[in-house]
Amino acid sequence: MTFKRILNSLYRTYNLDFCKLADSLEIQDETVLKWENGEEKPTIDQLKKISACYAIPLAILEKSLKE
């Protein structure tokens, strides 16, 4: 599963949009938009925060960035 698909799954599961996700991760909205558009990838610290906030194993998040 690609990282973009994981984001879309988070949006549906937790009734989020990119603004709410950014707020929950304490990052700028533009950062999440860049992830969606494939312009940037999250850092390992950001992945750890996503993992902790949304109970997604870090290994799955790391693997999704390679797909």
Side-chain angles (χ1 to χ4, degrees):
M1 179 180 288
T2 65
F3 189 72
K4 185 174 182 174
R5 291 184 78 184
I6 288 175
L7 287 177
N8 288 331
S9 178
L10 286 175
Y11 294 158
R12 285 190 312 275
T13 303
Y14 294 96
N15 194 30
L16 299 172
D17 59 22
F18 72 93
C19 294
K20 290 177 185 174
L21 179 64
D23 286 345
S24 73
L25 299 174
E26 299 175 342
I27 59 176
Q28 294 182 353
D29 300 350
E30 293 81 19
T31 301
V32 177
L33 285 175
K34 287 179 181 180
W35 295 346
E36 286 183 10
N37 295 327
E39 297 171 24
E40 289 183 10
K41 293 182 179 182
T43 65
I44 189 65
D45 288 335
Q46 291 167 330
L47 290 178
K48 287 177 182 177
K49 199 163 198 174
I50 294 168
S51 176
C53 287
Y54 298 103
I56 302 171
L58 184 58
I60 289 175
L61 293 171
E62 290 175 319
K63 183 179 177 186
S64 73
L65 293 176
K66 297 174 185 173
E67 295 179 356

